[in-house]
Amino acid sequence: MDPSFEEQGLLLFEKVFDMAPELKKLFKFADYPPVEYELELRKHSSGVFKAVDKSLQQIGTEIIAPRLQALGSRHKDRGIAVGHYAIIGKSLLLTLE
């Protein structure tokens, strides 16, 4: 995976918001002024791709299941629904092409 996590993350969320603009409101920084929004989106985007990279490195280990369960729980608490994962998955695959 390319180490430019921020750029890949921005591409991912561009695709997510193109497919499902309503998901943008789920981010606590959605209503921030443009400069602050951009900074927060960059931080979040980078974090997402760092998590993807770390998860890929942990495939086949005993620590991946609890890690992904905790991640899923946090996202559920933030209003992410099961149906949203298909959008994220498709966007991720398009980003990595």
Side-chain angles (χ1 to χ4, degrees):
M1 181 176 292
D2 184 335
S4 65
F5 297 127
E6 183 179 290
E7 291 305 314
Q8 289 176 328
L10 289 171
L11 287 172
L12 169 69
F13 284 104
E14 179 181 305
K15 292 176 187 332
V16 168
F17 298 149
D18 283 348
M19 281 188 225
E22 69 278 6
L23 294 184
K24 194 174 190 178
K25 71 178 188 251
L26 295 175
F27 293 86
K28 66 180 180 183
F29 51 85
D31 294 326
Y32 285 12
V35 172
E36 292 176 34
Y37 171 83
E38 179 75 17
L39 288 172
E40 291 298 318
L41 182 59
R42 285 182 176 279
K43 284 195 300 190
H44 184 75
S45 298
S46 179
V48 167
F49 260 84
K50 285 178 186 175
V52 168
D53 184 59
K54 190 169 190 172
S55 296
L56 289 173
Q57 292 175 31
Q58 293 175 342
I59 289 176
T61 69
E62 59 189 43
I63 59 175
I64 191 159
R67 185 172 189 278
L68 293 178
Q69 288 170 339
L71 183 64
S73 179
R74 284 195 308 274
H75 281 77
K76 182 180 177 186
D77 292 345
R78 294 179 183 141
I80 306 300
V82 171
H84 297 147
Y85 288 101
I87 296 165
I88 300 294
K90 184 173 183 176
S91 298
L92 179 61
L93 291 174
L94 290 169
T95 299
L96 294 174
E97 284 184 342

